[in-house]
Amino acid sequence: MLRDPSVKYRPFPTIDIPDRTWPSKVIATAPRWLSTDMRDGNQALIDPMDAEKKNRFFDLLVKIGLKEIEVGFPAAGATEFDFISSLIAGNRIPDDVTIQVLTQSRRDLIETSFQSLKGAKQAIVHLYNAVSPAWRKIVFGMSRDEIRQIAIDGAKVLRDEAAKQPDTKWSFEYSPETFSTAELDFSVEVCAAVMDILRPTPENPLILNLPATVECATPNVYADQIEWFGRNIPNRDSVVISLHTHNDRGTGVAAAELGLMAGADRVEGCLLGNGERTGNCDLVTVALNMYTQGVDPKLDLSDIDEVVKTVEYATNITVHPRTPYAGDLVFTAFSGSHQDAIKKGFAAQAARNDELWEVPYLPIDPADLGRSYEAVIRVNSQSGKGGVAWVLEQDKGLKLPKRMQADFSRIVQALADETSRELNAADIWGAFERTYLPAANDRFVLRDYEETGAAGDRRFVGRVAIDGEERSLSGRGNGLISSVIAALAETTGPALEVVDYSEHAIGHGADAQAATYLECRTADGRTVWGVGIDSDIATASVRAVLSAANRA
């Protein structure tokens, strides 16, 4: 890398628009959406989609609510042409969906594009040619006038070809390709010339797509370009301003959002951001960003895993686990402090009297996207007591007292350090069982018992295996727990003092079990925890005492 990159690269010029209005605007309604997954996204793949993958992708786009779908570049070859024709011949396009095709501004390519759409109820033909100085000078060696004439000639062919198929409702889109690096006045000039040919009206507007073909500036500059264009294009009410951002600088989504604030009406992009180089604008992210602000995006993403699965299958590209909203790990916390905040947030959410979502670290309810809460908190060596407790509660219904959470988290932490990997629910439950629940090799194992006496004077009589030898024990106390502790004290059992006791039901109905947690202090001042689980609450308490005795 150069120590002085200014000798090789120049900063992108800002736009002189001191009274810009977009910074104070908000996105309050959904734009028109156009999926270009099957065209821009497809042409960026190492192995382009075959017909089966395209059909599956098309069905997904329709299912989630896309009403405008760019289905291909029919002049690129027979595969593209035949697929587009098959959609029409097979009556696969719903009445409320409009397909779109792309063509360069060349007569033969435009004519082929119209042939592929023969019989369509409605369709958009998308015409483009590059207009920026670098393309004019380096790629084409043409003047402004020559570039403008290419657009005009293409528009005339659009008009004439549409007239040959009057049974189709035609719409047109024009892209001054490389708009983001072109002179604004020239982009307006070329678009106005296309409008003069196609004669759009408010009832049948022309889509003017303003692509950031290569993202070359901060997104605020793109927003300025969009606002300037909207102010200066003639007959604004007969134009739909469309955005097509790329992600070369990593801000394709931000550029689209600011472009909407600057007055655009439509957004083109791909699900989960596929596309050339670093990708197109991610429609899922833009839509769900709106959703989290209380705006209906008019797209149904309630099964985000189906979207991910279909995109991965069709593109053969794995969705990154940190992809906003859709990645495997975006709703997952490993950090102890994050886990604690999320756990408290869910508890507060459950106690609220309204539906307002307010959970720390989670800008959206995972359930709205079809994700389960079980995956929200996962445990590794970075996790804390709250995360461990959350997993047990979600997986087994156990609600560990707060001080016990600290006790058990140390055990889980040691296991995570030992294994050097993420611990799943089975790992955590296995550690819990080994630590607190009965095992055949425990020092104290309950065989049977009975409880007698009146309130305040209870007597425990039981059979307990001690070091493998079954013995009869008895003890008195003011309750069942104290009488069990007294019975143990009559043998070689430890002296225990109860510090805290809690219990709760696991599940509901006749099959519900009881969980008992017992915090005890030993004669030498140590704290030990005991846990009992049984269908009978009294038996669960006895088991909790023996569990504490085993740990002591």
Side-chain angles (χ1 to χ4, degrees):
M1 295 178 66
L2 301 173
R3 290 298 183 95
D4 181 11
S6 68
V7 302
K8 189 172 183 178
Y9 304 99
R10 63 179 64 90
F12 196 86
T14 58
I15 311 300
D16 184 18
I17 180 170
D19 59 340
R20 60 180 59 82
T21 63
W22 64 262
S24 61
K25 300 290 181 63
V26 296
I27 300 172
T29 58
R32 287 171 56 172
W33 302 105
L34 181 282
S35 161
T36 187
D37 289 273
M38 302 171 70
R39 196 278 301 171
D40 199 334
N42 187 51
Q43 72 187 40
L45 299 177
I46 296 173
D47 298 311
M49 293 180 244
D50 58 21
E52 192 276 331
K53 288 183 175 180
K54 278 196 165 187
N55 275 295
R56 183 165 168 180
F57 212 126
F58 183 80
D59 290 340
L60 172 70
L61 295 171
V62 170
K63 182 178 180 179
I64 66 177
L66 269 298
K67 302 304 180 185
E68 298 177 23
I69 302 172
E70 194 165 58
V71 290
F73 199 145
T79 300
E80 293 280 280
F81 186 101
D82 292 345
F83 170 72
I84 295 164
S85 297
S86 71
L87 287 176
I88 299 167
N91 198 29
R92 301 253 295 115
I93 307 166
D95 290 342
D96 62 346
V97 172
T98 303
I99 61 171
Q100 175 174 303
V101 299
L102 180 72
T103 177
Q104 292 170 302
S105 188
R106 278 176 38 191
R107 174 177 289 277
D108 58 329
L109 304 183
I110 298 170
E111 290 173 346
T112 299
S113 299
F114 274 90
Q115 291 167 13
S116 74
L117 294 169
K118 191 171 183 179
K121 296 177 182 178
Q122 64 270 334
I124 302 169
V125 182
H126 180 186
L127 178 77
Y128 76 94
N129 67 301
V131 299
S132 67
W135 268 256
R136 296 197 308 262
K137 177 177 66 175
I138 299 170
V139 181
F140 303 119
M142 290 184 175
S143 66
R144 277 193 177 201
D145 289 344
E146 290 171 311
I147 292 294
R148 182 177 61 253
Q149 193 60 46
I150 290 175
I152 291 171
D153 291 344
K156 289 179 179 178
V157 181
L158 284 187
R159 178 196 62 195
D160 296 343
E161 288 298 310
K164 296 176 184 178
Q165 298 186 47
D167 292 337
T168 297
K169 181 182 177 182
W170 295 105
S171 297
F172 302 124
E173 176 174 345
Y174 173 69
S175 287
E177 193 195 7
T178 65
F179 164 83
S180 56
T181 53
E183 308 93 334
L184 284 170
D185 63 332
F186 185 55
S187 293
V188 168
E189 180 184 328
V190 175
C191 289
V194 171
M195 293 173 68
D196 287 341
I197 303 301
L198 298 177
R199 301 292 181 182
T201 65
E203 294 72 33
N204 189 24
L206 171 65
I207 301 169
L208 291 177
N209 187 50
L210 307 179
T213 306
V214 178
E215 188 176 39
C216 56
T218 50
N220 61 295
V221 173
Y222 184 66
D224 280 346
Q225 292 173 322
I226 300 303
E227 182 161 343
W228 195 98
F229 185 93
R231 292 185 182 189
N232 290 277
I233 192 70
N235 303 318
R236 176 65 178 88
D237 62 350
S238 297
V239 166
V240 171
I241 293 181
S242 182
L243 309 175
H244 184 114
T245 60
H246 279 261
N247 203 42
D248 298 274
R249 292 171 55 92
T251 56
V253 166
E257 291 179 325
L258 298 191
L260 287 173
M261 292 161 60
D265 311 294
R266 185 175 184 259
V267 173
E268 298 189 358
C270 293
L271 301 184
L272 306 177
N274 181 38
E276 293 171 328
R277 302 181 309 282
T278 55
N280 289 321
C281 172
D282 179 355
L283 298 186
V284 171
T285 298
V286 177
L288 292 178
N289 283 352
M290 294 172 55
Y291 183 83
T292 64
Q293 303 303 300
V295 178
D296 181 3
K298 307 298 183 184
L299 295 178
D300 182 2
L301 298 167
S302 57
D303 189 350
I304 198 68
D305 288 333
E306 180 187 13
V307 173
V308 171
K309 182 179 178 181
T310 302
V311 170
E312 290 184 331
Y313 168 74
T315 65
N316 201 30
I317 296 174
T318 301
V319 173
H320 195 283
R322 298 296 180 190
T323 299
Y325 301 107
D328 283 345
L329 298 179
V330 297
F331 300 125
T332 301
F334 292 102
S335 162
S337 61
H338 289 212
Q339 292 173 342
D340 183 62
I342 291 171
K343 183 173 180 289
K344 290 175 179 175
F346 273 112
Q349 192 73 24
R352 292 176 66 95
N353 293 322
D354 59 58
E355 297 181 4
L356 184 67
W357 179 254
E358 191 176 18
V359 175
Y361 294 112
L362 295 179
I364 191 172
D365 185 349
D368 288 358
L369 305 182
R371 291 277 175 88
S372 65
Y373 294 141
E374 283 79 356
V376 170
I377 291 177
R378 290 161 61 174
V379 175
N380 63 13
S381 61
Q382 303 297 308
S383 303
K385 62 182 183 298
V388 174
W390 167 270
V391 172
L392 277 178
E393 182 173 349
Q394 296 299 307
D395 190 54
K396 297 296 182 180
L398 297 180
K399 301 175 182 178
L400 272 58
K402 189 169 184 178
R403 289 196 296 274
M404 186 182 179
Q405 293 175 22
D407 183 72
F408 183 49
S409 70
R410 287 191 290 270
I411 295 163
V412 175
Q413 182 75 43
L415 179 61
D417 288 338
E418 177 187 340
T419 58
S420 298
R421 63 173 174 83
E422 178 190 352
L423 302 181
N424 58 33
D427 294 324
I428 294 170
W429 175 243
F432 188 86
E433 282 188 303
R434 291 190 298 272
T435 304
Y436 301 106
L437 300 186
N441 60 349
D442 283 346
R443 186 177 185 206
F444 301 99
V445 179
L446 179 67
R447 299 301 190 205
D448 194 10
Y449 81 96
E450 63 179 18
E451 177 190 11
T452 61
D457 182 19
R458 311 297 293 177
R459 183 165 183 260
F460 168 84
V461 177
R463 290 184 297 117
V464 177
I466 302 177
D467 296 325
E469 179 185 348
E470 189 168 305
R471 298 174 58 177
S472 296
L473 304 181
S474 66
R476 288 184 178 276
N478 59 7
L480 176 59
I481 290 175
S482 60
S483 65
V484 177
I485 291 175
L488 289 174
E490 295 296 322
T491 67
T492 57
L496 297 175
E497 176 188 354
V498 176
V499 176
D500 192 30
Y501 167 89
S502 61
E503 64 183 44
H504 66 80
I506 305 174
H508 302 279
D511 295 330
Q513 289 190 303
T516 297
Y517 310 98
L518 200 62
E519 181 182 7
C520 298
R521 185 178 294 114
T522 64
D524 57 1
R526 291 181 297 118
T527 295
V528 293
W529 283 88
V531 179
I533 299 175
D534 198 273
S535 57
D536 176 67
I537 184 62
T539 304
S541 298
V542 174
R543 293 189 184 280
V545 175
L546 296 181
S547 170
N550 284 320
R551 296 204 71 213

